[in-house]
Amino acid sequence: MSTENTELTPAARLFASDLSVVNVGLAMFDADIAAQDAKVSTLDWTPPGGGNPEAARALDALERPELAARIEAANAEAVERIMAARPMLIGFGRALDVVPGMTPTTILHSGPPIAWEDMNGPMKGAVTGAIVFEGLAKDLDEAAEVAASGRITFKPCHEADSVGSMAGVTSASMYVHIVKNETHGNIAYTNLSEQMAKILRMGANDQSVIDRLVWMRDVFGPMLKEAVEFTGPVDLRLLLSQALHMGDECHNRNGAGTLLLFQALAPGLLQSSFTTEQKKEVFDFVASSDYFSGPTWMAMAKAALDAANGVADSTIVTTMARNGVEFGIRVAGLPGQWFTGPAQKVIGPMFAGYKPEDSGLDIGDSAITETYGFGGFAMSAAPAIVALVGGTVAEAMGYTRDMGEITTAQNPNVTIPALDFQGLPTGIDVRKVLDTGILPIINTAIAHKDAGIGMIGAGITHPPAEVFTKAATALAAALA
Amino acid sequence: MSITAVVRKNTYFDSVSLMSVSTKANGLDGVDQAFTAMGTEMNKGVLENLGLLTDELRAAESGDLMIVLVAEDGADTEALLAEIEDLLTRKAPASADGGEVTYRTIASAAAGIDGANLAVIAVNGAYAAREARKALESGLHVMMFSDNVAVEDEIALKNLAHDKGLFMMGPDCGTAIINNTALCFGNKVRPGSIGIVAASGTGSQEVSVRVHALGGGISQLIGTGGRDLSEQVGGIMMVDGIRALAADPATDVIVLVSKPPAASVEKKVLAEVAAAGKPVVVWFIDGSEEAVTAAGGHFAAGSLQAARKAVELAGVEGSPVEEFDAEAAADAVVSRLAEGQKYVRGLFCGGTLCDETMYAVRDAGLDVWSNIQKNADFRLPAGSASRGHTFLDFGDDDFTNGRPHPMIDPALRIERIVEEAKDPEVAAIVMDFVLGFGSHEDPVGTTLPAIEEAQRIAKDAGRHLEIVAYVLGTDLDTPSVAAQSAALRAAGVTVTPSSTETGRFAREIAKKAQA
């Protein structure tokens, strides 16, 4: 035993320092230790995998040292790809012309794959509305028959390089954003914001909804397409970063982002070939809702996350999406595979006149924003939105900190001023979600459960824990 | 039902705040429906859908706040509107100061808290090993309170800790004192120069308390876990603990406490005793004096002897302690017993306290039954009735399965006191009360009604039932040992001054009553 050594042993260092205890489990020990004037901090602890033994087994397999080292390296590469991605808005175009695999009878929807008969009210409403809009049926009743006839190809947006908010319904003649990841070359698509509450993506489908879609197809979309031809590509990561500094979390709160995006596009819109009257319609339409930039950030996130798909051995989540019935995730190391569980309720304030029992379950591809690291993950950037959870600014800070516990890195390109410019918590790790019992937090809208009504509120939700258990189990089987 | 609409010009609120206010406003008594929103086209569209869009509201612009109230019949509209306005201006609660950070994982706490150096882990046994591993990997020493941890996990954790030079205290030994701070179950004792390494929770509490009573003090108390000296675990932590205290300049004397170690482990530990370079007192219950002395250690046959030896070796000027003549006291008890009263029943919450008393009786050549008997012929499962001299450790797994430790919740033992009193063969009930951090805030107070009932049962049957109590604690504990002892004495209970003397008293009663 050598004690002459100048380097203190950990035990000697402990005896020579003030005791500072991390207390896990029993709160009464916290009080006892504090009463003796020692430092103590009690964890807000939950069992790994929500106490699910299958999850614990999968975690144990993934934590074997040799495999863990491989996973660490793979995850480092996956998050590097996500953070290095530079998504540029390079144009707008008709889905039929630009989205891979699109046909006149293809209808994309949000979330994991789902058959027509299994869709919920809002998605059915959106699908039938889109069929009428495409001229594939004369009215909604006939549209339902067409939808059930087998003549329509239903496909998740995510399987067509796309994302769609809420029902995500995207049909051939709708205009979409074209966002190219300049770093890795992949492209992502998403359709345009319909701005109002009573809209197709929320399941509304009356004549006013169809009329608006027609106008978007004939005026709004083509004018945006021309605008970008004048302005040139728009750097979306830069705008996202600015918007977060201006108080958006860019999922439910988009005021600043919409201004920034519109500012970037306005000169191009003015130079377009449309009449002044039409330009005014477009300007008024953009001004009618803060949400104009919402879909744009979704495509931006999709373009970045897709760059991580296929990184072998990675346990990083690249997709979180819901179809109103099921919540699905996909992970970088098992490209293309969905892991699903039941979609959850969204808890939050509702428009007057509606009650919680009116709400449809969690729906939409918009959780791609949280998958990238903003939205609910960046709640601390948008103190104004804490009312969404009836909470405090301190709690908003806590949400971002919690998300840091289940992610791999902090994105230096997109930062949060209130947290000393800490980067977005980036790269959700399936292992960490199970280990900590912390589920990703998602800010989202609430659609009425029935077709034809639309948005009735907004709030917060989480994925079901089982999707992470399933993913970890599959990863353990594939990688071990 | 009345509908009231108010438009407040140029008043901006964020839409999300307004939805939140709407939700709260809808919960007010007398409100049928309430709606607060900016006068945007979208919000006006919603109002139109609801049939609430008046001309005044139709004229509202996007910078105007709309408040629409549909009140129930007879409700005071003015008051309700005032309440809604109040919701709009209500400030966030004072707790929103962004002050304290709550961590969710050990790794993040270890990284985020400057100077964090030890983790106390008291989660369900199924998860405890995993958390301990994370703590050790994060560079924290570990005190594991949890029990039901697999021995394989314990070995892996202790090897990991050993490789990193960290302490892995526990599992299944809830006592430690590090830098004068008691962790989990522990007593407030004077700081001093005596270091303890112990595989027994209450055993080490008893030694620390007796050292304190004798005027000495504790430098560190390292709890190794009850299985540390088993063949499987091999004394990994006791060896590391001895080495740490041997290197600690604040420690002059080391005391080791354990149940009998496995033979190979005893050899290994005693080799460390020889190499420590400091006096080491060894109290291994039922241990061999010869082996200890041969290793250059100081043998102790009981907790009191261990404490006395340590204080003496530390050169501490001893404090006067209470004298207790067990033999004379036992004579007085036996003279009051009725015909047929011959057995002692021990009801303990401290495992080592139970052991020490039980062994004292057994060493007099008497048969003793217990749930922690090593001899299977005399083992008594938790559910069985007592027989002969019975000593029960209520802190053992069969009693604690699914319930808190009896030092926290003495309910099971309380029932048993009354049950034992009904047995005409019982001469004395012996029990311990453990004070200090982690323990029940008034163990005596909560047990006294049962003691009084037991005394009444015996009296009504024409018997004297001797109740013997040992209170483990110091004058610095809350409640203090003096206060708890006084309450017991007032109820006619004989209070013994140490665990060793409790055993001696129980032995004398058993011997004399059975004779």
Side-chain angles (χ1 to χ4, degrees):
Chain A
M1 178 176 29
S2 100
T3 47
E4 303 105 71
N5 209 320
T6 46
E7 184 74 18
L8 287 179
T9 64
R13 212 157 46 232
L14 172 67
F15 295 161
S17 338
D18 290 335
L19 189 66
S20 173
V21 176
V22 177
N23 182 41
V24 193
L26 282 180
M28 80 177 189
F29 291 148
D30 184 288
D32 283 346
I33 294 165
Q36 298 174 81
D37 294 327
K39 236 180 105 183
V40 58
S41 174
T42 291
L43 294 190
D44 184 2
W45 186 84
T46 47
N52 178 337
E54 188 191 343
R57 270 197 301 279
L59 269 180
D60 284 341
L62 293 172
E63 282 174 4
R64 276 188 225 118
E66 187 267 338
L67 178 55
R70 258 163 60 203
I71 292 173
E72 290 303 321
N75 287 353
E77 189 195 332
V79 289
E80 179 51 35
R81 291 176 76 87
I82 294 165
M83 296 188 300
R86 192 155 163 256
M88 306 288 284
L89 176 61
I90 58 168
F92 291 86
R94 276 199 324 160
L96 184 63
D97 302 333
V98 297
V99 174
M102 200 72 191
T103 72
T105 51
T106 299
I107 290 186
L108 304 180
H109 63 78
S110 58
I114 188 167
W116 157 256
E117 54 272 18
D118 298 328
M119 290 175 185
N120 73 355
M123 191 175 277
K124 280 189 166 157
V127 166
T128 48
I131 288 171
V132 171
F133 163 68
E134 291 293 344
L136 299 170
K138 66 176 187 307
D139 58 25
L140 294 170
D141 288 342
E142 192 185 318
E145 289 168 24
V146 172
S149 71
R151 280 191 282 141
I152 301 293
T153 306
F154 291 107
K155 189 153 102 174
C157 295
H158 267 290
E159 295 184 0
D161 295 344
S162 303
V163 276
S165 54
M166 302 308 285
V169 164
T170 307
S171 59
S173 19
M174 291 180 184
Y175 268 75
V176 293
H177 297 64
I178 307 170
V179 175
K180 182 175 185 189
N181 170 2
E182 290 288 359
T183 314
H184 305 98
N186 60 297
I187 295 181
Y189 307 90
T190 194
N191 54 17
L192 308 177
S193 166
E194 298 165 75
Q195 300 292 69
M196 305 297 162
K198 200 173 182 185
I199 52 181
L200 191 77
R201 74 188 48 185
M202 295 282 178
N205 54 14
D206 66 11
Q207 197 54 47
S208 73
V209 173
I210 306 296
D211 289 348
R212 189 183 309 115
L213 290 175
V214 168
W215 175 82
M216 289 169 71
R217 178 193 65 201
D218 295 343
V219 179
F220 191 40
M223 199 189 295
L224 286 167
K225 179 178 190 295
E226 278 189 37
V228 179
E229 285 161 10
F230 286 109
T231 62
V234 178
D235 187 336
L236 293 180
R237 192 181 65 183
L238 182 68
L239 291 195
L240 176 85
S241 173
Q242 289 175 325
L244 284 168
H245 281 202
M246 292 164 71
D248 283 357
E249 42 70 90
C250 292
H251 186 168
N252 272 20
R253 185 175 169 88
N254 287 291
T258 290
L259 288 175
L260 290 167
L261 183 63
F262 185 68
Q263 190 177 48
L265 294 173
L269 292 167
L270 286 172
Q271 292 172 79
S272 69
S273 61
F274 291 78
T275 65
T276 302
E277 183 57 32
Q278 287 171 319
K279 288 172 185 168
K280 184 179 179 303
E281 281 171 19
V282 164
F283 279 36
D284 282 344
F285 186 66
V286 171
S288 69
S289 161
D290 287 347
Y291 190 66
F292 170 62
S293 64
T296 317
W297 310 131
M298 287 170 54
M300 181 264 148
K302 168 77 175 164
L305 288 157
D306 274 355
N309 271 329
V311 173
D313 296 338
S314 172
T315 58
I316 299 294
V317 176
T318 54
T319 304
M320 294 196 288
R322 317 82 97 196
N323 59 29
V325 178
E326 283 192 313
F327 193 114
I329 65 167
R330 300 192 300 181
V331 295
L334 298 171
Q337 289 190 40
W338 289 96
F339 304 100
T340 61
Q344 305 292 295
K345 282 197 161 139
V346 181
I347 308 301
M350 308 183 81
F351 296 156
Y354 296 107
K355 299 181 193 70
E357 52 267 35
D358 297 327
S359 19
L361 296 177
D362 187 22
I363 187 169
D365 291 336
S366 60
I368 196 74
T369 59
E370 280 80 11
T371 318
Y372 182 89
F374 52 99
F377 281 43
M379 202 95 100
S380 50
I385 208 167
V386 298
L388 194 62
V389 283
T392 63
V393 173
E395 280 167 347
M397 300 296 162
Y399 286 125
T400 300
R401 244 183 325 254
D402 279 358
M403 295 305 106
E405 302 247 22
I406 58 171
T407 49
T408 309
Q410 294 182 353
N411 187 338
N413 301 313
V414 192
T415 60
I416 301 174
L419 293 179
D420 288 332
F421 297 91
Q422 175 196 304
L424 293 182
T426 300
I428 301 167
D429 185 342
V430 168
R431 299 174 307 165
K432 292 187 176 183
V433 171
L434 291 180
D435 188 20
T436 60
I438 301 173
L439 292 168
I441 184 168
I442 296 167
N443 287 357
T444 198
I446 306 173
H448 197 285
K449 67 178 191 301
D450 297 329
I453 296 174
M455 178 173 172
I456 59 170
I460 276 184
T461 191
H462 302 281
E466 67 186 81
V467 299
F468 296 97
T469 301
K470 286 179 182 171
T473 306
L475 282 161
L479 307 186
Chain B
M1 198 171 73
S2 69
I3 300 172
T4 316
V6 177
V7 174
R8 273 168 57 186
K9 300 295 283 180
N10 292 324
T11 305
Y12 176 75
F13 281 92
D14 177 79
S15 63
V16 172
S17 308
L18 289 172
M19 278 201 277
S20 167
V21 167
S22 283
T23 304
K24 286 180 193 149
N26 274 296
L28 296 174
D29 278 347
V31 170
D32 189 56
Q33 230 176 75
F35 188 96
T36 58
M38 300 305 292
T40 60
E41 291 307 315
M42 171 176 148
N43 288 331
K44 288 193 278 187
V46 172
L47 283 175
E48 186 153 37
N49 280 345
L50 295 167
L52 294 173
L53 192 65
T54 63
D55 283 345
E56 189 191 5
L57 293 168
R58 202 183 299 276
E61 290 173 33
S62 59
D64 303 340
L65 173 68
M66 307 186 293
I67 303 172
V68 182
L69 169 65
V70 183
E72 286 167 6
D73 290 335
D76 182 343
T77 312
E78 286 303 311
L80 284 174
L81 272 177
E83 281 191 67
I84 294 169
E85 298 251 351
D86 191 42
L87 287 172
L88 284 162
T89 52
R90 185 164 294 162
K91 296 282 179 286
S95 66
D97 55 6
E100 241 179 80
V101 178
T102 307
Y103 293 95
R104 306 275 294 253
T105 63
I106 287 180
S108 64
I113 301 168
D114 199 25
N117 46 22
L118 187 146
V120 170
I121 295 171
V123 300
N124 180 302
Y127 308 112
R130 177 182 191 79
E131 296 299 325
R133 191 177 78 223
K134 290 185 178 296
L136 293 169
E137 281 167 353
S138 305
L140 301 181
H141 299 275
V142 170
M143 166 67 180
M144 187 188 266
F145 183 76
S146 314
D147 48 16
N148 296 312
V149 174
V151 71
E152 296 76 28
D153 286 331
E154 178 175 347
I155 294 166
L157 290 169
K158 286 187 168 170
N159 281 324
L160 176 62
H162 174 80
D163 290 345
K164 290 177 166 288
L166 296 166
F167 292 126
M168 170 65 221
M169 296 183 278
D172 202 12
C173 164
T175 298
I177 300 175
I178 301 295
N179 301 352
N180 308 318
T181 301
L183 302 173
C184 306
F185 291 140
N187 300 87
K188 202 160 171 54
V189 295
R190 193 180 301 109
S193 62
I194 297 170
I196 302 174
V197 191
S200 142
T202 42
S204 61
Q205 276 187 276
E206 171 67 1
V207 172
S208 72
V209 160
R210 292 276 66 81
V211 164
H212 175 90
L214 292 163
I218 301 300
S219 58
Q220 307 287 346
L221 192 172
I222 299 159
T224 66
R227 286 188 302 222
D228 193 66
L229 300 175
S230 67
E231 191 74 51
Q232 285 160 292
V233 182
I236 303 172
M237 212 27 59
M238 183 160 279
V239 168
D240 283 359
I242 295 169
R243 290 181 186 173
L245 293 180
D248 174 30
T251 299
D252 294 334
V253 178
I254 301 170
V255 182
L256 307 184
V257 179
S258 176
K259 294 184 182 181
S264 64
V265 182
E266 183 175 28
K267 219 170 136 195
K268 198 163 137 194
V269 170
L270 291 178
E272 290 299 323
V273 168
K278 289 179 182 178
V280 181
V281 179
V282 182
W283 172 42
F284 289 162
I285 296 171
D286 229 13
S288 129
E289 177 161 12
E290 204 182 18
V292 172
T293 314
H298 300 264
F299 175 79
S303 53
L304 184 59
Q305 200 186 343
R308 280 199 170 126
K309 194 82 203 160
V311 169
E312 181 195 314
L313 290 165
V316 173
E317 196 75 19
S319 309
V321 290
E322 193 183 336
E323 291 295 327
F324 184 73
D325 185 342
E327 224 167 306
D331 282 334
V333 170
V334 172
S335 70
R336 299 174 68 189
L337 295 176
E339 187 69 30
Q341 282 187 282
K342 50 190 174 181
Y343 295 128
V344 176
R345 299 281 156 84
L347 308 176
F348 289 87
C349 41
T352 305
L353 304 179
C354 182
D355 260 345
E356 194 168 23
T357 304
M358 174 169 73
Y359 280 117
V361 175
R362 188 207 62 180
D363 288 347
L366 302 169
D367 289 340
V368 293
W369 276 265
S370 171
N371 62 325
I372 55 171
Q373 245 291 12
K374 280 213 305 266
N375 183 343
D377 296 344
F378 294 93
R379 200 166 302 139
L380 207 60
S384 333
S386 302
R387 51 191 295 193
H389 302 295
T390 291
F391 296 86
L392 296 176
D393 171 15
F394 284 84
D396 196 55
D397 286 353
D398 348 331
F399 285 108
T400 55
N401 235 331
R403 24 180 338 133
H405 195 278
M407 274 155 65
I408 300 169
D409 173 15
L412 270 188
R413 184 172 78 164
I414 284 171
E415 286 170 27
R416 191 72 179 231
I417 294 168
V418 176
E419 211 176 301
E420 298 294 345
K422 293 174 185 161
D423 183 345
E425 291 191 325
V426 173
I429 295 174
V430 183
M431 60 188 117
D432 58 351
F433 294 92
V434 183
L435 310 180
F437 299 106
S439 292
H440 192 281
E441 71 276 10
D442 181 15
V444 167
T446 194
T447 311
L448 273 178
I451 290 176
E452 281 155 6
E453 192 183 342
Q455 289 166 328
R456 196 166 50 245
I457 289 167
K459 195 175 170 201
D460 290 351
R463 302 193 295 268
H464 166 71
L465 177 64
E466 179 72 9
I467 309 269
V468 181
Y470 171 54
V471 185
L472 190 164
T474 71
D475 49 328
L476 304 177
D477 280 326
T478 312
S480 75
V481 66
Q484 295 274 289
S485 300
L488 286 164
R489 287 196 181 100
V493 174
T494 305
V495 179
T496 49
S498 74
S499 172
T500 302
E501 285 155 312
T502 308
R504 217 174 275 157
F505 187 34
R507 181 184 65 204
E508 294 307 313
I509 294 174
K511 261 164 61 181
K512 293 173 197 287
Q514 220 183 330

